[in-house]
Amino acid sequence: MSEVNLKKKNMLNTKDMSAGSGRTKPVLDPGNHVVKINSITLDQTPYDSESYNINLHVETAPIGGDFEGFFRDYNDQSKGRYDGQIGRVRISPFPFKDTTLPSGREISRDQEILKHMITLAETLEMRDGLDSIEADTIESFMTECDKLMGASKLMNMCIGGREWENKEGYINNDLFLPRISKDGISMEALEKENSRLLKFDRAVHVKALVKKETNTSSASFKADSGSGDDFEL
Protein backbone atom coordinates (compact mmCIF):
# COMPACT_ATOMS: atom_id res chain seq x y z
CA MET A 1 0.00 0.00 0.00
CA SER A 2 1.38 3.41 -0.97
CA GLU A 3 2.03 6.09 1.64
CA VAL A 4 -0.69 8.27 0.08
CA ASN A 5 -3.33 5.53 0.33
CA LEU A 6 -2.28 4.72 3.89
CA LYS A 7 -2.78 8.33 4.92
CA LYS A 8 -6.25 8.38 3.36
CA LYS A 9 -7.26 5.18 5.10
CA ASN A 10 -6.11 6.37 8.53
CA MET A 11 -7.55 9.88 8.38
CA LEU A 12 -8.65 11.02 11.83
CA ASN A 13 -11.81 13.02 12.33
CA THR A 14 -13.58 14.51 15.36
CA LYS A 15 -16.86 15.48 13.66
CA ASP A 16 -19.22 13.29 15.70
CA MET A 17 -17.13 12.86 18.85
CA SER A 18 -17.57 14.52 22.23
CA ALA A 19 -14.61 15.62 24.33
CA GLY A 20 -15.60 13.52 27.33
CA SER A 21 -15.68 9.93 26.08
CA GLY A 22 -14.27 10.03 22.56
CA ARG A 23 -17.34 8.13 21.37
CA THR A 24 -19.83 9.30 18.76
CA LYS A 25 -22.35 11.61 20.39
CA PRO A 26 -25.96 10.33 20.65
CA VAL A 27 -27.35 13.65 19.37
CA LEU A 28 -27.23 15.24 15.93
CA ASP A 29 -25.29 18.38 15.19
CA PRO A 30 -25.99 20.68 12.24
CA GLY A 31 -24.70 19.31 8.93
CA ASN A 32 -25.58 17.12 5.97
CA HIS A 33 -27.12 13.90 7.29
CA VAL A 34 -28.95 10.79 6.12
CA VAL A 35 -31.90 10.38 8.49
CA LYS A 36 -35.34 8.86 8.90
CA ILE A 37 -38.31 10.48 10.62
CA ASN A 38 -39.53 8.65 13.73
CA SER A 39 -42.40 11.04 14.46
CA ILE A 40 -43.83 14.45 13.56
CA THR A 41 -45.25 16.79 16.18
CA LEU A 42 -47.10 20.10 16.00
CA ASP A 43 -45.93 22.06 19.04
CA GLN A 44 -47.31 25.30 20.37
CA THR A 45 -44.70 27.95 21.05
CA PRO A 46 -44.38 28.94 24.74
CA TYR A 47 -44.89 32.62 23.98
CA ASP A 48 -47.92 32.50 21.65
CA SER A 49 -50.83 30.04 21.81
CA GLU A 50 -51.66 30.69 18.13
CA SER A 51 -48.12 30.01 16.90
CA TYR A 52 -46.81 26.53 16.08
CA ASN A 53 -43.57 24.73 15.24
CA ILE A 54 -43.51 21.50 13.27
CA ASN A 55 -40.85 19.24 14.75
CA LEU A 56 -39.39 16.28 12.88
CA HIS A 57 -37.97 13.77 15.35
CA VAL A 58 -35.22 12.19 13.27
CA GLU A 59 -32.65 9.42 13.59
CA THR A 60 -29.62 8.55 11.51
CA ALA A 61 -28.97 5.13 10.03
CA PRO A 62 -27.61 2.61 12.59
CA ILE A 63 -24.04 3.48 13.58
CA GLY A 64 -22.86 0.20 15.09
CA GLY A 65 -19.55 -0.40 16.83
CA ASP A 66 -19.40 0.91 20.39
CA PHE A 67 -22.02 3.59 19.72
CA GLU A 68 -24.52 3.98 22.55
CA GLY A 69 -27.67 5.90 21.70
CA PHE A 70 -30.20 7.40 24.05
CA PHE A 71 -32.88 5.14 25.52
CA ARG A 72 -36.01 5.01 23.36
CA ASP A 73 -38.05 5.43 26.54
CA TYR A 74 -36.11 6.45 29.64
CA ASN A 75 -38.97 5.29 31.89
CA ASP A 76 -39.06 1.88 30.17
CA GLN A 77 -35.48 1.01 29.33
CA SER A 78 -36.51 -2.49 28.22
CA LYS A 79 -37.35 -0.85 24.87
CA GLY A 80 -33.63 -0.48 24.27
CA ARG A 81 -31.62 2.36 22.78
CA TYR A 82 -31.74 4.20 19.49
CA ASP A 83 -29.45 2.68 16.87
CA GLY A 84 -28.41 6.07 15.51
CA GLN A 85 -28.00 9.69 16.51
CA ILE A 86 -31.26 11.51 17.13
CA GLY A 87 -32.42 15.10 16.91
CA ARG A 88 -35.50 17.29 17.00
CA VAL A 89 -35.49 19.36 13.83
CA ARG A 90 -37.93 22.17 13.14
CA ILE A 91 -39.18 22.00 9.55
CA SER A 92 -38.81 25.79 9.31
CA PRO A 93 -36.49 28.31 10.98
CA PHE A 94 -39.56 30.30 12.00
CA PRO A 95 -42.86 29.36 13.69
CA PHE A 96 -46.11 29.24 11.74
CA LYS A 97 -48.54 32.05 12.55
CA ASP A 98 -51.24 34.14 10.89
CA THR A 99 -49.64 37.47 10.11
CA THR A 100 -49.51 40.37 7.68
CA LEU A 101 -46.17 41.29 6.15
CA PRO A 102 -45.02 44.93 5.84
CA SER A 103 -45.82 44.63 2.12
CA GLY A 104 -49.46 43.97 3.01
CA ARG A 105 -49.32 40.30 2.03
CA GLU A 106 -51.33 38.11 4.40
CA ILE A 107 -49.80 34.84 5.61
CA SER A 108 -52.11 31.98 6.65
CA ARG A 109 -50.62 29.74 9.32
CA ASP A 110 -52.57 26.67 8.25
CA GLN A 111 -51.89 27.12 4.54
CA GLU A 112 -48.15 27.47 5.16
CA ILE A 113 -48.19 24.28 7.25
CA LEU A 114 -49.99 22.44 4.42
CA LYS A 115 -47.36 23.62 1.92
CA HIS A 116 -44.56 22.26 4.09
CA MET A 117 -46.36 18.93 4.42
CA ILE A 118 -46.65 18.76 0.62
CA THR A 119 -42.89 19.27 0.29
CA LEU A 120 -42.21 16.54 2.85
CA ALA A 121 -44.71 14.13 1.31
CA GLU A 122 -43.31 14.63 -2.19
CA THR A 123 -39.79 14.03 -0.90
CA LEU A 124 -40.95 10.75 0.66
CA GLU A 125 -43.10 9.86 -2.39
CA MET A 126 -46.24 9.92 -0.22
CA ARG A 127 -48.23 12.68 -1.94
CA ASP A 128 -51.23 10.45 -2.67
CA GLY A 129 -51.46 9.49 1.00
CA LEU A 130 -51.25 13.13 2.04
CA ASP A 131 -53.97 14.15 -0.41
CA SER A 132 -56.31 11.56 1.11
CA ILE A 133 -56.21 13.27 4.53
CA GLU A 134 -59.23 15.38 5.49
CA ALA A 135 -59.45 17.13 8.85
CA ASP A 136 -61.45 19.89 10.53
CA THR A 137 -58.46 21.46 12.30
CA ILE A 138 -54.76 21.82 11.64
CA GLU A 139 -54.06 19.88 14.83
CA SER A 140 -56.08 16.90 13.58
CA PHE A 141 -54.48 17.18 10.15
CA MET A 142 -50.99 16.99 11.63
CA THR A 143 -51.95 13.97 13.73
CA GLU A 144 -52.78 12.19 10.47
CA CYS A 145 -49.53 13.40 8.90
CA ASP A 146 -47.63 11.79 11.75
CA LYS A 147 -49.45 8.50 11.12
CA LEU A 148 -48.59 8.70 7.42
CA MET A 149 -44.99 9.97 7.49
CA GLY A 150 -43.91 9.48 11.10
CA ALA A 151 -41.96 6.30 10.36
CA SER A 152 -40.26 7.26 7.13
CA LYS A 153 -37.53 5.73 5.02
CA LEU A 154 -34.07 7.29 5.00
CA MET A 155 -33.63 10.63 3.27
CA ASN A 156 -31.04 13.39 2.88
CA MET A 157 -31.26 16.53 4.99
CA CYS A 158 -29.20 19.67 5.35
CA ILE A 159 -29.75 20.64 8.97
CA GLY A 160 -28.98 24.11 10.29
CA GLY A 161 -29.33 25.49 13.78
CA ARG A 162 -29.04 28.18 16.39
CA GLU A 163 -26.50 27.81 19.19
CA TRP A 164 -27.55 28.34 22.79
CA GLU A 165 -25.84 27.87 26.14
CA ASN A 166 -27.35 25.83 28.96
CA LYS A 167 -26.97 26.48 32.68
CA GLU A 168 -23.84 24.33 32.86
CA GLY A 169 -22.16 26.38 30.14
CA TYR A 170 -22.42 23.78 27.37
CA ILE A 171 -23.27 24.90 23.85
CA ASN A 172 -26.31 23.14 22.33
CA ASN A 173 -28.05 23.49 18.98
CA ASP A 174 -31.68 24.35 18.26
CA LEU A 175 -31.98 22.46 14.96
CA PHE A 176 -34.03 23.49 11.93
CA LEU A 177 -34.15 23.04 8.16
CA PRO A 178 -32.84 26.05 6.23
CA ARG A 179 -35.32 27.74 3.92
CA ILE A 180 -35.45 26.75 0.26
CA SER A 181 -33.45 29.19 -1.85
CA LYS A 182 -31.75 29.51 -5.22
CA ASP A 183 -28.84 27.63 -3.64
CA GLY A 184 -30.89 24.49 -3.09
CA ILE A 185 -33.32 22.57 -0.90
CA SER A 186 -32.99 21.25 2.64
CA MET A 187 -34.38 17.71 2.19
CA GLU A 188 -34.23 15.27 -0.68
CA ALA A 189 -34.70 11.60 -1.50
CA LEU A 190 -31.62 9.38 -1.42
CA GLU A 191 -29.70 8.93 -4.68
CA LYS A 192 -31.65 11.73 -6.32
CA GLU A 193 -30.49 12.49 -9.85
CA ASN A 194 -29.41 16.09 -10.40
CA SER A 195 -29.36 16.69 -6.65
CA ARG A 196 -30.31 20.15 -5.42
CA LEU A 197 -29.58 19.42 -1.76
CA LEU A 198 -27.92 22.28 0.08
CA LYS A 199 -24.28 21.71 0.98
CA PHE A 200 -23.95 22.53 4.66
CA ASP A 201 -22.04 25.73 5.40
CA ARG A 202 -21.71 26.58 9.09
CA ALA A 203 -21.24 30.26 8.36
CA VAL A 204 -24.56 30.33 6.49
CA HIS A 205 -26.70 27.68 8.18
CA VAL A 206 -25.83 28.12 11.88
CA LYS A 207 -26.55 31.19 13.96
CA ALA A 208 -23.56 31.27 16.31
CA LEU A 209 -23.93 32.09 19.98
CA VAL A 210 -22.80 35.60 20.80
CA LYS A 211 -21.74 35.73 24.42
CA LYS A 212 -22.41 38.91 26.34
CA GLU A 213 -19.30 40.84 27.28
CA THR A 214 -18.69 41.24 30.99
CA ASN A 215 -17.70 44.56 32.47
CA THR A 216 -14.25 43.58 33.73
CA SER A 217 -13.53 46.94 35.36
CA SER A 218 -16.75 46.76 37.39
CA ALA A 219 -16.09 43.13 38.35
CA SER A 220 -12.56 44.03 39.42
CA PHE A 221 -13.80 46.89 41.54
CA LYS A 222 -16.30 44.63 43.34
CA ALA A 223 -13.68 42.00 44.06
CA ASP A 224 -11.12 44.51 45.31
CA SER A 225 -13.63 46.44 47.41
CA GLY A 226 -14.35 43.40 49.56
CA SER A 227 -18.11 43.83 49.14
CA GLY A 228 -19.92 40.55 48.66
CA ASP A 229 -18.74 37.04 47.89
CA ASP A 230 -15.62 36.41 45.74
CA PHE A 231 -17.83 34.76 43.08
CA GLU A 232 -20.47 37.47 43.08
CA LEU A 233 -19.67 39.49 39.96
Side-chain angles (χ1 to χ4, degrees), residues 59-174:
E59 180 183 359
T60 66
I63 294 175
D66 63 352
F67 173 75
E68 188 172 74
F70 282 126
F71 284 110
R72 296 179 185 276
D73 183 344
Y74 188 80
N75 295 317
D76 184 1
Q77 297 181 8
S78 66
K79 294 180 180 179
R81 297 177 180 270
Y82 288 103
D83 298 319
Q85 293 174 300
I86 60 172
R88 183 181 64 187
V89 182
R90 284 185 284 121
I91 204 169
S92 167
F94 308 105
F96 297 91
K97 177 179 173 61
D98 290 330
T99 189
T100 302
L101 300 180
S103 63
R105 179 188 168 200
E106 294 186 354
I107 300 296
S108 165
R109 180 196 68 184
D110 293 357
Q111 289 299 311
E112 291 301 312
I113 289 175
L114 295 181
K115 291 176 185 177
H116 278 73
M117 289 299 97
I118 289 173
T119 300
L120 179 59
E122 290 181 344
T123 302
L124 295 171
E125 300 178 335
M126 292 183 171
R127 180 61 193 269
D128 288 344
L130 182 72
D131 289 348
S132 69
I133 296 175
E134 293 184 350
D136 294 328
T137 65
I138 197 62
E139 293 83 1
S140 297
F141 186 88
M142 288 304 301
T143 296
E144 296 304 312
C145 285
D146 177 48
K147 293 177 183 178
L148 176 67
M149 298 181 285
S152 77
K153 57 188 177 182
L154 291 170
M155 61 192 295
N156 284 311
M157 280 188 183
C158 175
I159 299 175
R162 177 186 61 84
E163 293 182 341
W164 61 279
E165 185 176 11
N166 66 15
K167 294 179 180 179
E168 288 73 36
Y170 291 104
I171 304 300
N172 296 297
N173 290 286
D174 177 20

Side-chain angles (χ1 to χ4, degrees), residues 15-17 25 27-31 33 85 159 173 175 202:
K15 178 182 176 184
D16 293 319
M17 289 173 55
K25 296 186 296 183
V27 294
L28 273 179
D29 279 331
H33 296 285
Q85 293 174 300
I159 299 175
N173 290 286
L175 303 176
R202 177 167 288 275

